[in-house]
Amino acid sequence: MLTQATDAVASRPAKRLAAIMFADAVDFTAFTSRDEDHAIAVLHDFLTSTAHPLLDELKAETRKDLGDGLLATFQSVETAVHCAERLQAVLAAERAENHPRWEGLRFRIAVHFSDVQYVGGDVFGEGVNLAKRLQEAAATDAVILSHAVCESIRPTRASEIRDLGFVALKGFERPVRAYDLISGPSSSLRVLRAEEEIPSIAVLPFENLGASERDAYFADGLVEDIIGSLSGLREMVVIARGSTLGFRERHIDPLDARRVLGVRYVLQGTIRRWQGAIRLSATLSDTETGGTMFSTRSDIREDQLFKQQDRIVSEIVTSIAPQVRQAELKRAIRKPPEVFSAYDCLLKALDLMRQLTPERYDEARRFLDQAVAEDVNFAAAYGWRAAWWIMMVVQGWTDDRDLATSEAERDAKRAVKLDGANAQALAILAQTKAFMRGDHEAALELMERARRAGPGNTFVLMISAGTMAYVGRGQDAVKYAEQAHQLVPLDQIPFREFDWLALAHYSAGNYERATYWARRALDEQKGHLPSLRLLAASLAADGKLDAARETAEILLSNAPEFRLSEYAKAHATFADAGLQKGWIDHLRAAGLPD
């Protein structure tokens, strides 16, 4: 452990502002498990030959080696950012060599500006803890910045900063706004226009004022559809629906929404249905002032719902992002069904599908079929029916994979034909091509189209992660899964997100992280078979065979008929032959029977 502090630091007041740089070696535990002596030697060589001399050159006030990480403080924010960039640039240049000196060593780095407490040459305080947790939100090889750091360097480096939105940090009650430094060799999120701060919005659950609780799904579905529409706008950061579900049962002041969710704008509303009519009220508020930007109240016929929704979305965009082109707005708004009852049926189906039981899925299928029968041109209904078939295969609830494949592909193609700009329909067709048909090139092209149609759509990002994992592009899978995770700071239905993160990390060989996320998924949805398979395989791959066998026993108690030979024949988790062989070998090592 190396700790150094200048005499000047010791003579200064114990508490003062400092720029904090926290660097951590990515998956160092897995690195050491493969060859402990080599991993430690590589890290030590990098620190002593490169990191420590650079810190001395830049006159770091303190530095501290932290096992597999490094903490340093500087007087200047610009110097701390420069140091982080230099460290990542050196590592990137070395990786480009045929025989890199520090092969296997990769870092995430965070920079924060805050008060710190100096005690005996060491540093403490909430700011240090935030820098440490913020680093965990960065992509591998990236530099992530806090809002305080971004504001300090923005005047001279605005074009090199990407807004990541609001990130939930372990141990911190409220999400914090984070930014990606894109001048270096890596970055964390999609390209956004960096010359202006990207506005952020949360759409809170609409209050259901109807007499019957059975209509609660309708209000939830309306909110989800508005969020999906807004997510198609590149000029916005939209907090995902799962992060706002906690506000369904209570009214929240816009100022409180800013503190909890970290957003600049919040949309709230009420909805009442009776005898074929709808009364819809919505209010858009500025969370900095608590003031109302606009409000609307309308009594409309059921068959006019989508026109009313389109007007609400248009007014939000007009108020928040006046520079949005009309073409972007049109692309973000999904095509509505011609018959209202078709939409009603779809919302009922989605509500049932979220419960993830065979009985609820059977019931959901009836509503999906009814939606299509009511409106043969309803793209979303076809897309979600395709997703229904895919999930039936994933969960092992159908014995006829060929039928499921043909039906899923037919419905997904129909959805895209009806609405070629619907991001979720494109993503579902991509998943069908990759997972059901093995047509990887078509899947990747469709996923690219989906991301262009909905760059902030968390569903699209998660499906992107799964598709990349399936075709063997593990690092890309992790990138997209982490992007989606950063857009869902307070998700209350998170197991699918955790499941995709586990799959992404497994495909990238990050078995310890895959284990972590698979456990998180199972904490939320016990008995979920894909999560149990991921946990068993990840534990076996990480050499933790006792825990892997315990997981396999739980899986078999939930699916006693499971056999590896039949599973491998009917269900290719990965298109990459090496990954697929390793996957089956790891499941076998966990004790699952052939």
Side-chain angles (χ1 to χ4, degrees), residues 238-386:
V238 185
I239 297 299
R241 173 181 176 273
S243 298
T244 63
L245 288 179
F247 305 111
R248 178 192 280 118
E249 303 299 330
R250 60 187 177 94
H251 176 77
I252 183 171
D253 185 89
L255 297 176
D256 291 330
R258 178 178 179 83
R259 286 191 291 271
V260 175
L261 294 170
V263 292
R264 195 188 306 170
Y265 303 97
V266 61
L267 182 72
Q268 297 168 289
T270 62
I271 190 167
R272 185 195 300 271
R273 296 207 302 167
W274 76 99
Q275 297 181 353
I278 295 174
R279 170 165 289 177
L280 178 66
S281 300
T283 302
L284 181 69
S285 303
D286 184 330
T287 63
E288 292 184 359
T289 66
T292 297
M293 296 178 64
F294 87 86
S295 62
T296 180
R297 177 175 174 175
S298 303
D299 291 334
I300 53 177
R301 301 193 314 271
E302 289 188 349
D303 60 2
Q304 294 295 306
L305 175 65
F306 265 95
K307 291 182 180 179
Q308 182 74 358
Q309 178 192 328
D310 293 354
R311 183 175 65 79
I312 293 172
V313 173
S314 297
E315 290 188 40
I316 293 171
V317 174
T318 301
S319 299
I320 298 177
Q323 304 304 318
V324 176
R325 292 178 290 110
Q326 188 67 20
E328 286 288 309
L329 177 58
K330 289 179 179 177
R331 187 176 70 169
I333 297 172
R334 297 175 188 161
K335 294 181 180 178
E338 295 301 323
V339 182
F340 175 80
S341 59
Y343 180 59
D344 206 29
C345 291
L346 176 62
L347 295 183
K348 290 179 180 178
L350 294 179
D351 187 58
L352 291 164
M353 288 171 69
R354 292 189 188 101
Q355 299 176 48
L356 202 67
T357 67
E359 297 77 18
R360 291 291 180 263
Y361 258 63
D362 286 345
E363 193 175 351
R365 171 62 189 277
R366 290 195 292 275
F367 281 114
L368 289 169
D369 289 346
Q370 187 177 343
V372 170
E374 293 281 1
D375 185 353
V376 295
N377 295 314
F378 190 10
Y382 287 103
W384 283 111
R385 194 166 67 177

Side-chain angles (χ1 to χ4, degrees), residues 4-12 16 59-63 75 121:
Q4 296 184 355
T6 65
D7 293 338
V9 170
S11 66
R12 290 188 179 119
R16 61 185 179 78
K59 297 181 171 55
E61 293 186 313
T62 63
R63 78 166 185 244
Q75 287 188 11

Side-chain angles (χ1 to χ4, degrees), residues 139-143 162 180-182 184-189 479 483:
T140 301
D141 309 323
V143 177
R162 294 178 188 165
D180 192 19
L181 190 64
I182 60 175
S186 183
S187 59
S188 299
L189 268 187
K479 178 182 73 172
Q483 285 178 18

Side-chain angles (χ1 to χ4, degrees), residues 542-560:
D542 206 22
K544 299 173 181 176
L545 294 180
D546 289 343
R549 293 183 183 114
E550 290 177 6
T551 304
E553 290 177 5
I554 296 172
L555 189 154
L556 290 171
S557 70
N558 284 274

Side-chain angles (χ1 to χ4, degrees), residues 7 41 76 117 139 144 146 171 234 274 289 323 382 388 439 443 448 488 506 536-537 570 575 581:
D7 293 338
S76 162
Q117 190 83 27
I144 193 169
S146 70
R234 292 181 174 85
W274 76 99
T289 66
Q323 304 304 318
Y382 287 103
W388 183 93
D439 189 348
E448 178 61 29
V488 192
Y506 178 91
K581 182 179 184 304

